[in-house]
Amino acid sequence: EVVEGGGNILLPGFVDLHTHLREPGREDTETVESGSRAAARGGYTAVFAMANTAPVADNATITDHVWRLGREVGLVDVHPVGAVTVGLAGEQLAEMGMMADGAAKVKLFSDDGKCVHDPVIMKRALEYSKGLGVLISQHSEDPRLTVGSVAHDGPTAARLGLAGWPRAAEESIVARDALLARDAGARVHIAHASTAGTVELLRWARTQGIEVTAEVTPHHLLLDDSRLETYDGVNRVNPPLREESDKLALRAALAEGVIDCVATDHAPHASQEKCCEFSQARPGMLGLETALSIVVETMVNADLLDWRGVARVMSERPAQIVGLDDQGRPIEVGEPANLTIVDPEQAWTVKGEELASRSDNTPYDSMTLPGTVLTTLLRGRVTAQRDGLSNVTPNGGAGEWL
Ligand code: NCD
Ligand code: ZN
Ligand code: ZN
């Protein structure tokens, strides 16, 4: 699956289990089309579009609509995620079976349309999801443990006056959902693991034979709460940027396989919602176009993962978790392939306004990151390509997108 030759690396196309595409409802910040282009440029051949759209994707009409939009664009396989509840307070289970049976064949369900704070509802949702797919525990935080509206914890956050969302809010829900999955005999996938304690809980759940999987975001691998000093809204995200010790624990857990995969949590917002004082900003960061480079920076260049490992965390494991049988696999002779070609030696400088995403605010703006996606192929067809195979421009930057 990993072919090293000519200085470039050939990988199976990446699979993102956690992408916010904002259609329907906030097409000013991202559409299926702009998000698909961002995904292709990031080396992705499949993305799972989260359910917290407006309206929420809690029925087959909406999940099939998003699936059809993805097909029309044709740059990446867009798999809609279905919300597990309907109703304003999320008090009633959604028709998950209808979403699974629809054109979109929904395989991943989440609690992010309306937060599921009631453990009884969560347990019933887990029971219902059995045989249909995987439930992603997206709101891995208990809001009743929060103080104020800003999601941070630790000495830096306290000094900056950003206290609010303690580790216990995340870890208690991770523990709860692992135990409920055990009792329901269901599978649960933990979204955006962000603390060292969550890593220990995942390790414990595995020893109990609980079918729990987990993802980490690129931003939690690269950034920590030292970024918060500027009170810049661009750094606001849920779960929050944690301490350096958490960041290092997450990297080690990804290397070891305790955390299964990288998922972007690509969460575009309009500039007026992000380029403001921290407490006013919406939580969420762009992720699709920078994910591979951040994995190279934090994992490959740190000798925590080799390229075989990159294929595992970016493609194979996420495809296995949701049972995508046409992604994340070795290439079969005679079969149209989903592939990503990466130049590991080529660095590039992130410029928000040059990203394909409809939103352009990013914490990585002006950062030079290692590793460049040169070409992405979806079933043998080029969906993104950088200019020139040597890929070097006079200013030393990566080539333009064609
Ligand atoms: C996400 C969003 O903007 O939709 N924001 C975020 O900070 N991650 C929602 C989420 O994943 O919790
Ligand atoms: Zn979330
Ligand atoms: Zn999210």
Side-chain angles (χ1 to χ4, degrees), residues 18 20 22 52 112 138-139 141 192 236-239 265 267-269 283-285:
H18 192 153
H20 297 273
R22 306 301 191 211
N52 66 339
D112 84 327
Q138 150 71 212
H139 271 277
E141 55 245 344
H192 42 45
R236 187 161 178 190
V237 68
N238 281 338
D265 195 11
H269 292 294
M285 296 172 173

Side-chain angles (χ1 to χ4, degrees), residues 8-10 36-45 74-75 289 339-343 346 354 356 372-378 380-393 398-402:
N8 296 332
I9 313 271
L10 183 61
S36 293
R37 194 166 303 281
R41 290 185 181 186
Y44 288 89
T45 50
L75 290 172
E289 293 169 79
L339 294 173
T340 300
I341 302 169
V342 171
D343 183 344
Q346 180 67 55
E354 289 177 7
T372 300
V373 173
L374 296 179
T375 310
T376 307
L377 293 112
L378 177 65
R381 199 167 47 79
V382 173
T383 51
Q385 178 142 40
R386 287 237 195 213
D387 189 13
L389 269 184
S390 77
N391 203 44
V392 181
T393 59
E400 301 286 306
W401 290 104
L402 297 176

Side-chain angles (χ1 to χ4, degrees), residues 147-356:
V147 183
S149 60
V150 183
H152 293 84
D153 189 17
T156 302
R159 178 168 52 78
L160 296 170
L162 299 176
W165 211 306
R167 287 171 167 67
E170 170 170 325
E171 293 160 15
S172 58
I173 294 297
V174 171
R176 181 198 77 172
D177 289 352
L179 292 169
L180 291 177
R182 178 193 67 188
D183 289 0
R187 293 168 56 206
V188 69
H189 177 73
I190 303 296
H192 42 45
S194 78
T195 73
T198 289
V199 170
E200 290 314 307
L201 288 165
L202 289 167
R203 208 188 294 280
W204 171 82
R206 297 275 167 76
T207 67
Q208 303 298 302
I210 300 173
E211 290 200 77
V212 56
T213 55
E215 66 188 34
V216 60
T217 69
H219 44 274
H220 290 108
L221 291 173
L222 182 69
L223 309 176
D224 57 45
D225 64 1
S226 62
R227 296 272 309 195
L228 305 176
E229 303 278 351
T230 59
Y231 293 96
D232 184 343
V234 83
N235 294 312
R236 187 161 178 190
V237 68
N238 281 338
L241 299 180
R242 303 277 187 191
E243 292 177 79
E244 189 182 23
S245 51
D246 295 294
K247 182 175 80 177
L248 298 178
L250 294 168
R251 291 182 188 178
L254 184 64
E256 196 187 331
V258 175
I259 291 178
D260 299 82
C261 63
V262 173
T264 67
D265 195 11
H266 179 83
H269 292 294
S271 54
Q272 71 272 15
E273 296 166 334
K274 287 299 281 181
C275 305
C276 50
E277 200 274 324
F278 192 86
S279 62
Q280 308 299 313
R282 290 216 186 189
M285 296 172 173
L286 300 183
L288 287 168
E289 293 169 79
T290 44
L292 181 272
S293 293
I294 292 173
V295 169
V296 175
E297 168 87 11
T298 60
M299 301 296 294
V300 179
N301 290 355
D303 283 332
L304 288 168
L305 276 186
D306 57 14
W307 286 95
R308 184 74 199 65
V310 174
R312 170 168 60 83
V313 303
M314 297 293 281
S315 182
E316 289 168 17
R317 282 300 291 145
Q320 284 165 1
I321 287 167
V322 280
L324 278 190
D325 45 22
D326 60 341
Q327 299 271 358
R329 295 188 290 108
I331 305 147
E332 307 275 341
V333 173
E335 182 183 74
N338 299 315
L339 294 173
T340 300
I341 302 169
V342 171
D343 183 344
E345 302 301 331
Q346 180 67 55
W348 63 294
T349 301
V350 183
K351 296 195 184 75
E353 69 274 13
E354 289 177 7
L355 296 175

